[in-house]
Amino acid sequence: LDDDGRPTARTWPNSGMGNLYPDGSTGSCVACHTRHRFSIEEARQPAACASCHLGPDHPDIEVYENSKHGQIYATEGHEWRWDSAADAWEPGDYRAPTCATCHMSGIGKLSTTHDISERLYWNLWAKRSGVRDSDDVMSPLLGDGPEGREKMKQVCIACHGELHTESFFHQADAAVRLYNEAYWDPAKEMRDELEAEGLLKENPWKDDFQITFYHLWHHEGRRARHGAMMAGPDWAHWHGFFQLQQSFYKLEEIHKTRMATGQIEPGPPKGMSGDH
């Protein structure tokens, strides 16, 4: 704030839903409810989330569009009821959930929430996914994962059977563990070995290993996890695990060569000096 207590251009206007403000308030409402109308109908639309949740690293709107939920919304969403009260928007008003349905809406005995991670079991954006188990607001594992999973299951069971719901999460959890154990863990081990031997460039963005390592978790790994957990099959497989596999093989080859030669860059052929 300036000397008169007015916001400065360095920090305002903004649309960060997790912001902390000088008066103690949190979140920018206009991230979902645009100015002047402050419409609940507008905030319930998937497009309200697409300003941030898109692109190569967390393509959530694209995953949603790839899912059957998104396809149903695309074909008939204009016919649904969007103006029900905050705690009364239930299946029947809509035939498939939007982002707000799963993460925020009051369904059955669930209360509405603006804590969009409240119903989440895993942290899916981190380098390695962990189960939420922290009360530290600065922790990436903020929340109670098991309790959040039970809440999310209530959302699913409002439309799906219990067997369908339980089996879906069994499969999705297996995909997250596959990423953790078959891709992230061994990739991190290779990186640590290269670092210990001084075989990483100081500037990571000029280092093929470090660039590929970054994409493995930040792009492909997130896409695989988000696709699996949000029922977007093409994102889970072709944009996710298939590309994870390609990056992992590339990391293996670079690691093998550097460890064998003790060099970051390939040296000159045997019998030739660097001058040639």
Side-chain angles (χ1 to χ4, degrees):
L1 304 180
D2 63 20
D3 292 340
D4 296 323
R6 302 280 291 174
T8 69
R10 289 184 61 197
T11 56
W12 194 89
N14 61 65
S15 60
M17 62 182 300
N19 286 348
L20 305 177
Y21 293 99
D23 65 357
S25 62
T26 61
S28 179
C29 301
V30 297
C32 301
H33 305 268
T34 58
R35 290 178 173 87
H36 307 300
R37 285 196 64 194
F38 206 77
S39 164
I40 193 171
E41 301 100 301
E42 187 176 58
R44 284 170 169 162
Q45 299 277 346
C49 306
S51 295
C52 302
H53 293 267
L54 79 169
D57 57 336
H58 44 31
D60 297 320
I61 188 63
E62 294 96 329
V63 172
Y64 177 75
E65 290 167 350
N66 179 231
S67 74
K68 283 301 173 187
H69 294 154
Q71 292 166 20
I72 294 170
Y73 164 79
T75 57
E76 62 178 64
H78 61 283
E79 301 172 354
W80 297 350
R81 181 175 180 180
W82 296 95
D83 61 353
S84 299
D87 59 350
W89 197 46
E90 300 273 356
D93 293 335
Y94 50 83
R95 194 165 71 88
T98 67
C99 316
T101 312
C102 296
H103 292 278
M104 305 176 79
S105 296
I107 298 175
K109 296 181 180 180
L110 281 178
S111 300
T112 58
T113 180
H114 279 81
D115 177 358
I116 58 168
S117 63
E118 180 180 304
R119 301 171 186 173
L120 302 182
Y121 181 75
W122 298 99
N123 175 325
L124 295 181
W125 57 260
K127 296 176 181 179
R128 191 185 198 279
S129 285
V131 178
R132 295 176 180 274
D133 63 353
S134 174
D135 57 6
D136 178 2
V137 296
M138 298 304 292
S139 170
L141 296 178
L142 175 66
D144 184 330
E147 181 180 308
R149 171 59 57 82
E150 291 308 309
K151 290 180 178 179
M152 188 64 84
K153 285 180 180 179
Q154 290 183 54
V155 177
C156 302
I157 290 173
C159 294
H160 297 288
E162 185 174 347
L163 178 61
H164 181 282
T165 299
E166 294 289 343
S167 297
F168 171 80
F169 283 115
H170 177 84
Q171 295 175 6
D173 289 345
V176 175
R177 287 192 293 270
L178 175 65
Y179 161 79
N180 279 349
E181 298 166 14
Y183 292 95
W184 167 257
D185 287 350
K188 179 65 162 53
E189 184 177 348
M190 286 190 285
R191 188 199 177 284
D192 290 347
E193 287 180 356
L194 292 177
E195 184 176 35
E197 296 296 327
L199 295 175
L200 295 175
K201 291 184 179 180
E202 183 176 351
N203 184 343
W205 307 115
K206 292 184 177 181
D207 186 331
D208 208 21
F209 184 94
Q210 294 185 79
I211 291 171
T212 305
F213 179 78
Y214 176 79
H215 285 162
L216 178 124
W217 76 264
H218 191 270
H219 284 49
E220 297 130 21
R222 282 179 170 179
R223 294 197 296 260
R225 289 173 282 173
H226 285 220
M229 198 59 70
M230 293 171 56
D234 202 61
W235 288 95
H237 181 69
W238 289 114
H239 299 292
F241 281 104
F242 177 75
Q243 292 188 7
L244 267 172
Q245 179 193 68
Q246 306 309 302
S247 289
F248 187 79
Y249 288 159
K250 183 176 180 180
L251 292 177
E252 283 188 319
E253 287 300 309
I254 298 172
H255 172 266
K256 178 181 178 181
T257 300
R258 291 186 184 183
M259 293 298 289
T261 64
Q263 296 178 313
I264 295 177
E265 301 288 359
K270 290 183 177 180
M272 298 182 65
S273 72
D275 295 338
H276 292 87

